[in-house]
Amino acid sequence: MTPVRTPAAQSLQAALGAGVDPLGYARQLLPLHRAWSEGARIRSEVRPVIARSWKRAPGRGGESRLLPEDELAARRRGNQEMSILGQLLGDRLLPLAGQAENQLVITDGEGYILSVRGPRAVRRQSDGIGFIPGARWREADVGTNGIGTVMVDRIPMQVFGPEHAREEQHAWVCTSAPIVNPATGTLVATVTLAGSFRTAHPHTLALVSATAREAEGELLRLHQLELDELRSAVDGPGGRYVLVDGHLAVAASRGFDCPARLPVPGGLQEGNVWVRGLGAMHAAPVPGGWLLRPVAERVVLELCSGPVPKVVISVGSERTEVPLGWRHWQILELLARRHQGVDADGLAELWPGPVSAVTVRAEVSRLRAKLGGIIAARPYRLTVPVVFSC
């Protein structure tokens, strides 16, 4: 299983090329930042990744939250991934940090700084802008910055000088990369080399990015070992089954064409459950995961408009709630009244307002991704009984 990436993830977002004068480049950026901060339209000269961030987090951001020491200590203790990866990140990046007068900054997946390591002179300067352990550096907290912007875009990048939202950060360059746990697809950390903007170089970005990918590879390797242990600990039963770990990653299966990780609305609990692509399954806990086997229970789809639209998938006595937007709820309502099925053009004609068949196809595709085998195609139709419960 590999981490989820945006389409731009393969291109590193270096702030400036080798040989470009950092001071001269900073002077070019200053009027662009000034115009934006005064409310003018973002100029085309601004790098797209920075322009997107400036649009998301206008101005200086809010106020960065600083954790009390006991909460910070608890976060450090509870961060399994960083207890595994801390030494690797330090071994790869601290030597360069010292030589380039940068500091190594590691945050958790929520943007709280867990550690700052590097030359004392650099750390004294960063203390003055709140770049300290326990501080949270999301875009909403401090505007555009290496940590917060990487958290949103999920790509390695540099944020240089006046690209930062706050003027007190204009003397800095932050070279950052996200670390995503392949087992869950969630952001677990960011890693940053930060120092004077005069130290900016694209090689720094390449190194930070490669280190983050190595860290993800280590998490993947350890997860594969956990899956191997799960397979060894649980005897495969007769007939069709699926064995998953606590993250719903598939360790073994028979008789099912499974993705690497099961999509289960609401997560697993003991008993009967609807699993997209598999149908009605009985989930039983096993050491380190879950064993799922097919059941012949009747499946019913309940449509509930209510204040918050939702559907309830009932497998026997077990119920799984899936919240919906109004458009998706309307699609289900229309399908429920057309037992013989209907194509995209037909749905568009039945729609309460003007809508194109292309839009309908896109929305049905998103809805099927949520509900899987409950909606068949060609024509679109519901494959289970429907009731309107509220």
Side-chain angles (χ1 to χ4, degrees), residues 3 13 23 40 42 74 87 151 190 227 233 284 308 321 327 341 361 369:
Q13 294 291 326
L23 181 58
I42 298 173
Q87 183 172 344
M151 289 178 65
T190 70
L227 293 180
V308 179
E321 291 189 2
R327 176 162 283 186
R361 289 190 191 95

Side-chain angles (χ1 to χ4, degrees), residues 61-224:
E63 291 299 325
S64 176
R65 183 189 176 197
L66 183 63
L67 290 176
E69 190 60 36
D70 58 339
E71 289 188 33
L72 175 59
R75 277 183 176 264
R76 287 169 171 161
R77 288 192 305 268
N79 195 308
Q80 271 190 319
E81 289 88 356
M82 283 304 98
S83 65
I84 295 169
L85 300 176
Q87 183 172 344
L88 183 152
L89 298 176
D91 290 347
R92 299 294 184 272
L93 297 175
L94 272 177
L96 175 65
Q99 295 171 22
E101 297 184 349
N102 277 211
Q103 58 187 4
L104 171 61
V105 183
I106 298 172
T107 78
D108 65 11
E110 297 182 38
Y112 286 102
I113 296 176
L114 300 179
S115 67
V116 181
R117 302 158 68 188
R120 289 184 180 178
V122 181
R123 292 183 60 184
R124 283 196 296 270
Q125 294 170 8
S126 68
D127 286 351
I129 60 172
F131 214 39
I132 56 176
R136 193 177 65 184
W137 274 60
R138 298 177 183 174
E139 282 186 336
D141 298 320
V142 293
T144 301
N145 71 94
I147 293 169
T149 305
V150 155
M151 289 178 65
V152 176
D153 279 2
R154 299 284 185 96
I155 56 174
M157 70 177 70
Q158 284 178 323
V159 177
F160 175 87
E163 291 179 334
H164 291 91
R166 296 194 173 189
E167 293 182 7
E168 61 265 29
Q169 300 168 26
H170 284 187
W172 292 80
V173 61
C174 293
T175 304
S176 305
I179 298 177
V180 175
N181 189 334
T184 62
T186 58
L187 179 72
V188 296
T190 70
V191 57
T192 300
L193 286 179
S196 166
F197 70 73
R198 296 175 184 271
T199 67
H201 197 286
H203 288 172
T204 308
L205 180 59
L207 177 61
V208 171
S209 176
T211 301
R213 301 297 79 77
E214 183 181 358
E216 290 178 343
E218 178 64 9
L219 292 177
L220 179 60
R221 184 186 70 83
L222 294 174
H223 183 236
Q224 293 300 328

